[in-house]
Amino acid sequence: KQKLTVLYGSQTGQAEEIATQIHEDAVFNGYDVDLHCLKDAGKKFDISQITCAVFVCSTTGDGDPPENARKFLRTLSRKTLSKDHLSHLKYALLGLGDSNYSTFCGGPKKLERVLINLGAKQIHHSGFADDGTDMELVVEPWLEELWPALKKYFSNQDCEILNDKPEENSTKDENSDFAKLDKNVDCGQNKSVENLSKEIKNIEIMVTYKSKNDINTTTLQKSILLQESSLSLVELTLPPLFPLYLETFASNEVRPAIQHYQNDCPFPIASGSRTSGLIRKASVLTREDAVKRTIEICMEVENREQYMPGDAIAVCCKNPAQEVEWLINRLDLNEKADESLQLKVSVEAKKKSSCKPTLEVLLQHLPRLQPRRYSVANYGSEFISFVFNVVHFPNEPSHLPDRKGICTGYLESLVEPMIKQKQVDPISISIFPTKSNDFALPGNLKTPIVMIGPGTGVSPFIGFLQQRREQIHSRTACNIGPAWLFFGCRHKERDFLFQSELESFIDGVLTKLCVAFSRDKVTENEPKYVQDSLTLHKNDIVKLLLEDKAVFFVCGDARNMAKDVRNCLINLIAIETNCDEDAAREKFSVVLAEKRYKEDIWT
């Protein structure tokens, strides 16, 4: 068999999932294939001994490689390695990123630079998928084109980057079965669906196997119908129908009394084992007429001291019962709904309709239910707290009438009786600590800090300020750096989160509290957004950023706010230092290189 190695670097598990899919498809296609995480370099695989590899790598933070890929990159970045260290390696690379963040696909692109600098050669063009738009727009075509590229490489043909267009078969034998088919039907690449649908009526297709005499003939009925729509005029490439590899069967085993969450399989983002948290208190931080409902949960956990401001926990959630019931009814699975089922691998299972898939098809394509990450919002208490907005989805007539975010809806339903004071007993949920992203207060109190967190993005800064207050009270020195906080929300009276607590910090803990309310009526000089507040104090902000070496923290929405804040700061640098935008970006890049601009943002 032809030897192939699939290697991945994954922060949340998405890259690992795609790599696992590639591994399974490679097995199905007859390759001798291994699957490894990049962190296992030197233990389970030796990159210097691999001749053909497929890399799948994600991005974390501001363009950083995932934690389990960093050691691999450091090892290959050593200056002692020769430029032909990996000249024997042929590779394909799929990168995952999010254009809502400042540096798109920084991790995979760094990996590719390292590979190229050491002499590795591409056998398939690199793909960079964008979670900010639709990752499948890149992932699916890239995977579809991967197998012809590998076949070409293993056939000892030229290992050049393939064009985006499909290869044309220019070496057909006129006497072959496929040539006969070509004479009967013009299957040119430029044929539109409309023209093709007129020609496809009854086509006799001959499938040639290993032996020329072993030929099966079948009749393909007309399957593309002419539609009166613009879609019928567009040239389309139909995605491949992947083979079904799972089957379910009834299990005679007695269901255990204690159910383990996802069989206790570890999550890539976890920094510790899964444990239980007891919710002791829940409260709504917004008024009833606020656009978003914001809930704060206080929870008792083991080893409270390990959770510091800036850290985060992951909540293991469950699918809403209402949606599960809807799906069971939709797929006619009521008879099996309460049965214990087991899975087995099968490549012989029949292909089913995509409109009403079988349970096996559904299980094969459903991604793993991922935990949701929330910032720790306090310090110095016996409990930890976190804050979230309840996510609502617009009503769709073809689906359930009211849908909420999986985890926020799950948590809201759990604590609703507690909020209404109809329940006082603690509620147990599954949580685990997550890996640090270096989002923490500087060790020296003299270092100035600027915190920017509209909406629930303010939550980690509550813990920052509580910790800072304790540090100040435990010191006798008076030389303490300034601390600024920029907060924004829609309405002051409806959703000003932690208002009284934030205002209480203006006693020497917080130097300046700047607030903006985007939906309230404001005068011309009053800010609507945090960017406006930054602009009002542009002289101080640029001085803090460039001269005073302050550490800037940004927490909240990555899709709009984080980008707008970064662009605002670059613009303020240009104004205050009297330079053009390119020069301002160069100065801002120095701040990034010095690790003084830290983001904890999400889409």
Side-chain angles (χ1 to χ4, degrees), residues 9-15 57-70 73 95-110 129 131 135 268-269 373 434-439 558 566 595 597-602:
S10 184
Q11 189 70 21
T12 64
Q14 195 162 29
C57 184
S58 63
T59 308
T60 187
D62 185 24
D64 297 322
E67 292 187 19
N68 56 20
R70 292 175 188 176
L73 284 170
L96 310 182
D98 191 331
S99 59
N100 290 302
Y101 292 78
S102 305
T103 306
F104 174 65
C105 272
K109 290 177 180 178
K110 182 177 181 180
D131 198 29
M135 198 167 283
I269 63 173
R373 188 174 176 273
T434 62
K435 296 171 181 177
S436 171
N437 57 0
D438 197 31
F439 197 81
R566 184 177 286 228
K595 303 293 184 182
Y597 193 83
K598 303 177 184 291
E599 293 177 313
D600 185 6
I601 53 182
W602 57 83

Side-chain angles (χ1 to χ4, degrees), residues 366-553:
L366 276 179
R368 185 180 185 184
L369 181 57
Q370 294 289 341
R372 271 48 171 184
R373 188 174 176 273
Y374 298 102
S375 299
V376 176
N378 66 333
Y379 174 80
S381 168
E382 60 178 320
F383 302 142
I384 64 170
S385 68
F386 62 95
V387 177
F388 60 91
N389 287 327
V390 179
V391 179
H392 286 266
F393 294 103
N395 291 347
E396 296 181 14
S398 61
H399 207 279
L400 298 173
D402 184 22
R403 296 182 63 223
K404 298 181 180 180
I406 291 180
C407 194
T408 60
Y410 165 69
L411 290 172
E412 182 190 37
S413 64
L414 281 181
V415 302
E416 192 65 39
M418 190 174 284
I419 292 173
K420 296 179 178 178
Q421 297 183 344
K422 294 182 179 180
Q423 176 180 337
V424 294
D425 294 332
I427 303 168
S428 178
I429 60 173
S430 292
I431 63 168
F432 58 82
T434 62
K435 296 171 181 177
S436 171
N437 57 0
D438 197 31
F439 197 81
L441 283 174
N444 194 336
L445 268 175
K446 295 180 183 179
T447 304
I449 60 172
V450 177
M451 298 162 283
I452 304 168
T456 56
V458 75
S459 58
F461 302 137
I462 299 298
F464 275 20
L465 295 173
Q466 290 173 347
Q467 182 184 13
R468 182 178 169 89
R469 173 181 284 165
E470 181 180 288
Q471 290 174 338
I472 292 172
H473 290 169
S474 63
R475 292 169 61 96
T476 56
C478 297
N479 192 5
I480 298 171
W484 290 53
L485 174 63
F486 291 85
F487 172 78
C489 62
R490 288 180 171 81
H491 302 279
K492 180 178 180 180
E493 300 300 328
R494 300 182 192 177
D495 45 18
F496 190 166
L497 308 183
F498 301 105
Q499 178 178 358
S500 59
E501 188 160 10
L502 286 173
E503 291 172 347
S504 72
F505 288 123
I506 309 176
D507 60 355
V509 177
L510 191 59
T511 308
K512 189 78 172 178
L513 173 62
C514 304
V515 295
F517 308 106
S518 60
R519 300 297 187 270
D520 286 344
K521 292 183 179 179
V522 296
T523 64
E524 184 177 349
N525 295 325
E526 289 181 315
K528 290 185 65 176
Y529 304 103
V530 289
Q531 306 91 282
D532 300 328
S533 295
L534 290 167
T535 302
L536 286 177
H537 301 279
K538 58 181 181 292
N539 183 270
D540 292 319
I541 291 300
V542 173
K543 182 176 182 296
L544 286 164
L545 187 65
L546 301 182
E547 298 178 21
D548 298 341
K549 304 297 181 182
V551 179
F552 277 61
F553 298 92

Side-chain angles (χ1 to χ4, degrees), residues 149-205:
L150 289 171
K151 182 178 180 181
K152 181 178 179 180
Y153 164 69
F154 283 113
S155 299
N156 295 321
Q157 298 185 19
D158 295 334
C159 298
E160 297 178 348
I161 300 176
L162 296 181
N163 294 327
D164 290 334
K165 296 180 180 179
E167 290 185 84
E168 294 184 4
N169 189 351
S170 59
T171 60
K172 292 179 181 175
D173 182 356
E174 285 194 356
N175 295 320
S176 70
D177 295 311
F178 291 104
K180 295 176 183 177
L181 175 62
D182 289 344
K183 290 179 180 179
N184 294 329
V185 180
D186 179 11
C187 294
Q189 292 180 351
N190 295 324
K191 189 170 298 298
S192 70
V193 171
E194 179 183 23
N195 294 331
L196 189 60
S197 67
K198 293 176 180 178
E199 292 187 5
I200 296 183
K201 294 181 180 177
N202 289 306
I203 302 176
E204 207 169 68
I205 294 183

